[in-house]
């Protein structure tokens, strides 16, 4: 289990990217004459690995989780509590939890055969892209897919399996942004009501110079604690992803 999580980043992100580039890089996983030298392949590999952090926050549930958590912190009005490091760490571990089944499939069907010499890196990349493609298709909305198919001037796919990654990945990101903003708007509503009530009361009693946020913040935190807000938010968020 620990080894699977250790390979999560590379397996779920680098191999599908390699699958994307495989048709134009026939040297990948081959030792034929005329192919790139090993040092050059290592340089290209390290260059591709620099894209992993950006891919991690874009093509996994990390995107939805971190956006919702930031909306929640702004709705509570606590400014820097929890800190960015805490929110990022929580979002990262929740992402590892939700992506564990996908990482397990990639590890068993792509990494182990490649490690045992049963398939090349390009074949492993093609195999690794399948569970990720199914995961992205689950959350990519049809409207967003149609948008990027039109933008890319691509042929309309006959089935979801025919979608190109350059269409599916941005459609997934856009769909996740929509979902996270919708959840964030719902989170804002109860705290907005408290802000409006407190502002009305302070104005009616003549406390105009006192910022209403200073008075409403303790009430919002108290309400959030009484309803066990962290459990509700994280539980609902994980259920929406899993």
């Amino acid at each position: 289990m620990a080894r699977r999580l250790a390979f999560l980043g590379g397996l779920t992100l680098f191999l599908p990217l390699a699958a994307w580039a495989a048709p134009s890089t026939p040297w990948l996983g081959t030792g034929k004459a005329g192919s790139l030298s090993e040092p050059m392949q290592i340089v290209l590999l390290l260059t591709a690995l620099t894209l992993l952090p950006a891919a991690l926050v874009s093509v996994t549930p990390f995107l939805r989780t971190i956006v919702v958590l930031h909306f929640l912190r702004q709705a509570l009005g606590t400014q820097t509590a929890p800190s960015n490091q805490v929110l990022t760490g929580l979002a990262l571990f929740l992402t590892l939890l939700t992506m564990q089944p996908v990482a397990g499939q990639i590890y068993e069907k792509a990494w182990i055969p490649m490690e045992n010499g049963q398939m090349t890196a390009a074949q492993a990349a093609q195999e690794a892209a399948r569970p990720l493609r199914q995961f992205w298709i689950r959350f990519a909305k049809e409207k967003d897919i149609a948008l990027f198919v039109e933008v890319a001037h691509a042929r309309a796919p006959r089935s979801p399996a025919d979608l190109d990654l350059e269409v599916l990945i941005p459609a997934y990101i856009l769909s996740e942004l929509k979902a996270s903003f919708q959840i964030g708007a719902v989170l804002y509503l109860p705290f907005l009501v408290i802000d409006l009530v407190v502002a009305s009361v302070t104005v009616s009693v003549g406390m105009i110079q006192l910022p209403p946020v200073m008075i409403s913040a303790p009430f919002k935190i108290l309400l959030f604690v009484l309803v066990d807000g962290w459990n509700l938010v994280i539980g609902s968020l994980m259920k929406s992803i899993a």
Side-chain angles (χ1 to χ4, degrees):
M1 185 65 65
R3 192 177 183 184
R4 290 182 182 179
L5 293 178
F7 282 112
L8 176 63
L11 291 177
T12 57
L13 301 175
F14 172 70
L15 287 180
L17 291 176
W20 193 350
S24 59
T25 54
W27 52 268
L28 187 60
T30 64
K32 299 180 181 179
S35 62
L36 293 178
S37 61
E38 290 187 3
M40 182 59 67
Q41 294 187 28
I42 293 175
V43 170
L44 294 177
L45 175 61
L46 294 177
T47 303
L49 290 177
T50 60
L51 301 176
L52 286 181
L56 175 64
V57 302
S58 302
V59 299
T60 64
F62 184 93
L63 174 61
R64 180 188 300 196
T65 305
I66 195 65
V67 172
V68 170
L69 291 178
H70 276 285
F71 268 115
L72 176 61
R73 186 176 66 180
Q74 292 181 3
L76 285 171
T78 54
Q79 302 300 324
T80 58
S83 64
N84 290 333
Q85 291 82 354
V86 173
L87 295 183
T88 303
L90 177 59
L92 178 60
F93 281 103
L94 293 178
T95 302
L96 292 176
L97 180 62
T98 54
M99 292 297 292
Q100 180 181 334
V102 178
Q105 295 180 33
I106 297 176
Y107 180 77
E108 295 174 0
K109 297 181 180 180
W111 182 264
I112 292 180
M114 185 181 67
E115 198 175 33
N116 296 334
Q118 299 175 357
M119 61 174 59
T120 64
Q123 294 172 338
Q126 295 289 345
E127 192 68 28
R130 294 180 182 177
L132 270 177
R133 181 186 294 272
Q134 296 175 359
F135 178 82
W136 290 330
I137 289 175
R138 283 176 52 198
F139 297 99
K141 299 183 183 301
E142 184 177 350
K143 183 178 180 181
D144 298 328
I145 294 176
L147 170 64
F148 287 103
V149 168
E150 180 182 356
V151 170
H153 301 288
R155 183 176 301 177
R158 291 177 295 181
S159 65
D162 297 332
L163 285 171
D164 295 329
L165 291 182
E166 58 264 25
V167 171
L168 181 59
I169 291 177
Y172 168 81
I173 296 174
L174 185 58
S175 300
E176 286 295 280
L177 286 175
K178 287 182 179 179
S180 59
F181 272 70
Q182 290 172 354
I183 297 173
V186 173
L187 288 175
Y188 252 104
L189 292 179
F191 302 111
L192 179 61
V193 172
I194 295 178
D195 285 333
L196 291 175
V197 171
V198 171
S200 299
V201 172
T202 54
V203 170
S204 63
V205 298
M207 301 171 61
I208 301 177
Q209 296 183 352
L210 181 64
V213 178
M214 294 183 59
I215 303 177
S216 63
F219 290 101
K220 291 190 290 187
I221 296 174
L222 180 61
L223 174 64
F224 190 71
V225 172
L226 289 177
V227 299
D228 198 5
W230 286 112
N231 185 283
L232 291 176
V233 172
I234 299 301
S236 301
L237 188 59
M238 294 298 290
K239 291 177 182 177
S240 68
I241 297 174

